[in-house]
């Protein structure tokens, strides 16, 4: 019998716990599609399929299948999770974002709310950062009020989803200037 050409493919052996976790992850089509694809690749590897057959079925390259096979063998389930993305670390904490929202939403009904500039001075943040946090909070508040009649408070009267959005948006602020944007610039249509 002739020897197969190329490097030998490492075997993937799963524990019951890992198999259950991978099957659960493989069903995630909307919340984490990349993780679901990786889980399906590893499950197919454990079933003994070749990298080429898995690549065709998953719609990826053989190299991608080999990468996730090696990553799983080396790091197990933790190797399939997303790695931290590059970029500047966040500079505005959850507590700062919560304080901004509290200060901007405080006051008597019908009274004029404080300006973003005055809140920025009190919180020692840039006015742009305060404006972004406030816009994110208002957008989330409107969305929640339409979807739900009661807003769940998790931390100092600020919903956790709002804090997450504020944190994400505040991560793009660096003492008054924009450091990076989480969204790529839009391509402009060429005029004829």
């Amino acid at each position: 019998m002739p020897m197969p050409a190329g490097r030998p493919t490492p075997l993937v052996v799963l524990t019951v716990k890992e198999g259950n976790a991978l099957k659960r992850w493989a069903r995630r089509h909307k919340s984490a599609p990349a993780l679901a694809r990786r889980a399906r690749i590893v499950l197919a590897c454990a079933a003994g399929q070749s990298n080429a057959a898995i690549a065709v079925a998953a719609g990826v390259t053989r190299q991608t299948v080999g990468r996730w096979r090696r990553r799983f063998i080396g790091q197990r389930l933790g190797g399939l999770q997303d790695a931290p993305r590059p970029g500047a670390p966040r500079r505005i904490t959850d507590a700062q974002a919560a304080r901004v929202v509290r200060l901007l939403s405080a006051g008597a009904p019908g009274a004029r709310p404080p300006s973003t500039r005055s809140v920025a001075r009190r919180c020692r943040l840039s006015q742009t950062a305060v404006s972004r946090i406030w816009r994110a909070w208002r957008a989330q508040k409107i969305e929640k009020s339409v979807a739900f009649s009661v807003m769940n408070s998790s931390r100092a009267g600020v919903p956790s989803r709002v804090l997450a959005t504020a944190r994400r948006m505040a991560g793009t602020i660096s003492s008054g200037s924009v450091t990076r944007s989480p969204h790529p610039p839009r391509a402009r249509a060429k005029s004829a």
Side-chain angles (χ1 to χ4, degrees):
M1 178 176 226
M3 293 278 298
R7 280 183 247 158
T9 306
L11 294 175
V12 175
V13 180
L14 302 175
T15 65
V16 174
K17 190 175 182 180
E18 289 172 336
N20 291 337
L22 288 170
K23 288 174 187 169
R24 199 171 48 249
W25 289 352
R27 288 191 295 264
R28 291 183 175 183
H29 293 287
K30 293 199 179 201
S31 64
L35 182 62
R37 179 184 299 126
R38 295 171 202 157
R40 286 191 294 274
I41 288 171
V42 172
L43 286 169
C45 290
Q49 296 181 21
S50 69
N51 286 359
I54 298 168
V56 169
V60 297
T61 65
R62 287 188 332 241
Q63 291 82 2
T64 301
V65 174
R67 175 190 308 129
W68 293 116
R69 180 188 293 266
R70 286 188 309 275
R71 191 89 78 74
F72 181 79
I73 290 171
Q75 301 173 22
R76 307 311 289 179
L77 291 176
L80 300 182
Q81 300 287 340
D82 284 333
R85 297 290 177 212
R90 288 191 315 112
R91 297 179 187 224
I92 299 175
T93 65
D94 293 345
Q96 287 174 311
R99 183 171 184 222
V100 166
V101 171
R102 268 196 316 273
L103 290 172
L104 285 170
S105 59
R112 186 172 178 173
S115 69
T116 55
R117 288 190 176 125
S118 65
V119 171
R121 280 191 299 271
R122 286 182 68 183
C123 295
R124 294 182 182 208
L125 295 171
S126 71
Q127 188 266 332
T128 308
V130 171
S131 294
R132 286 185 179 185
I133 291 168
W134 183 238
R135 275 196 306 268
W137 184 79
R138 280 198 335 231
Q140 293 291 334
K141 184 178 179 184
I142 290 167
E143 181 182 311
K144 288 245 183 198
S145 67
V146 169
F148 305 104
S149 60
V150 176
M151 198 181 304
N152 292 332
S153 297
S154 65
R155 188 178 305 157
V158 181
S160 61
R161 187 169 175 202
V162 172
L163 281 174
T165 302
R167 280 195 313 265
R168 186 182 74 245
M169 292 182 81
T172 63
I173 305 298
S174 167
S175 61
S177 63
V178 175
T179 57
R180 66 179 177 87
S181 172
H183 306 290
R186 290 185 182 182
R188 294 182 185 239
K190 296 189 183 220
S191 57

